[in-house]
């Protein structure tokens, strides 16, 4: 592959369960993956080309930090072209109306919503230079949620809304789409059920597919959106939820 044919993808939240699958899938497709996460170092099993440590909360709060970190990313793009930006990092602070603090809200909206915006703003020229793609990883919580998820659910609704609005703003040169997964079998999710295997079985059964999703399935959906030559596929949020979003849950 010559330098001009090299494709670059920037993936945030790379050390996480879905982030690792995204990095692997995009690498296998031939992308040079610039992986980024808040940690100083990439996680051991991560497959990537370059790693840049970025705290997305700080990126929103400090313009000088943002310039410094994004200049490092730009320096890794030999032709000043970024083919895919996958906004995958997120935090999930649980709490209800009585307990959420201002700090909880700021952190949630900074990482889950504003950081994706400012990354796009900063890297817009590089994305436009090669008619690149943005894929925002939203969530089923953008539409259907449960108690104590008010901050997370609000941030994901806003991320889905921003995806649509940005597709209007950037549409001629950059495609902007989203993926909205329901429960995905990450290590973290599984460890949450370590004392309750029955609960995990019930969660799987609850989905019309009989299983929850796999990180790889989110990654291949994001790759499809980023890689597809279908430029008309713009401003869409693909729901990947095993059909649970179509279920009516009546009391027994
Ligand atoms: N796992 C699921 O069931 C599920 C379902 C729907 C949507 N999602 C979405 O998928 C994406 C990935 O989730 P995951 O399950 O892999 O979660 P995860 O917690 O394993 O990964 C999230 C990553 O974001 C990073 N991150 C958090 N704060 C950061 C900050 N300040 N700066 C930089 N990076 C930061 C974390 O370090 C982590 O590596 C998220 O957007 C999440 O909302 C996950």
């Amino acid at each position: 592959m010559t330098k001009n044919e090299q494709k670059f993808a920037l993936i945030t939240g790379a050390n996480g369960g879905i982030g690792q699958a995204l990095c692997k899938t995009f690498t296998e497709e031939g992308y040079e993956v610039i992986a980024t996460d808040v940690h100083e170092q990439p996680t051991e099993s991560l497959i990537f080309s370059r790693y840049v440590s970025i705290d997305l909360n700080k990126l929103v709060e400090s313009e000088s930090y943002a310039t410094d970190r994004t200049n490092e990313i730009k320096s890794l793009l030999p032709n000043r072209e970024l083919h895919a930006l996958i906004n995958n990092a997120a935090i999930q602070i649980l709490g209800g109306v009585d307990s959420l603090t201002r700090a909880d809200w700021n952190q949630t909206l900074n990482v889950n919503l504003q950081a994706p915006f400012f990354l796009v703003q900063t890297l817009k020229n590089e994305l436009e230079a090669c008619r690149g793609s943005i894929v925002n990883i939203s969530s089923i919580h953008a539409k259907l949620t449960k108690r104590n998820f008010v901050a997370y659910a609000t941030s994901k609704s806003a991320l889905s809304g921003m995806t649509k609005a940005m597709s209007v703003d950037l549409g001629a040169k950059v495609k902007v789409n989203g993926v909205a997964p329901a429960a995905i079998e990450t290590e973290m999710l599984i460890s949450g059920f370590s004392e309750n295997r029955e609960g995990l079985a019930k969660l799987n059964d609850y989905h019309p597919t009989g299983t929850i999703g796999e990180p790889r399935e989110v990654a291949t959906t994001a790759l499809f959106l980023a890689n597809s030559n279908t430029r008309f596929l713009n401003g869409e949020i693909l729901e990947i939820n095993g059909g649970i979003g179509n279920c009516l849950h009546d009391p027994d």
Side-chain angles (χ1 to χ4, degrees), residues 13 15-19 37-39 54-57 88-91 111 137-139 152 156 181-184 186 188-189:
N15 284 340
I18 293 172
D37 209 304
V38 68
H39 314 105
I54 304 182
D55 180 344
L56 294 174
N57 190 40
N88 165 68
I91 53 164
V111 175
I137 308 298
S138 184
S139 165
Y152 179 74
K156 291 296 185 178
I184 302 297
T186 54
M188 201 193 294
L189 184 137

Side-chain angles (χ1 to χ4, degrees), residues 143-214:
K143 281 194 178 169
L144 300 168
T145 192
K146 48 191 180 185
R147 282 193 183 153
N148 287 324
F149 278 76
V150 63
Y152 179 74
T154 303
S155 73
K156 291 296 185 178
S157 300
L159 183 66
S160 291
M162 187 176 83
T163 303
K164 288 173 184 283
M166 265 192 182
S167 73
V168 176
D169 240 29
L170 301 181
K173 291 187 176 162
V174 181
K175 279 198 315 178
V176 192
N177 291 292
V179 180
I184 302 297
E185 193 175 342
T186 54
E187 261 177 48
M188 201 193 294
L189 184 137
I190 298 300
S191 67
F193 285 96
S194 60
E195 311 276 296
N196 178 15
R197 294 326 261 180
E198 207 181 304
L200 183 57
K202 271 191 191 157
L203 182 66
N204 277 301
D205 283 351
Y206 205 49
H207 289 73
T209 42
T211 64
I212 58 172
E214 293 175 19

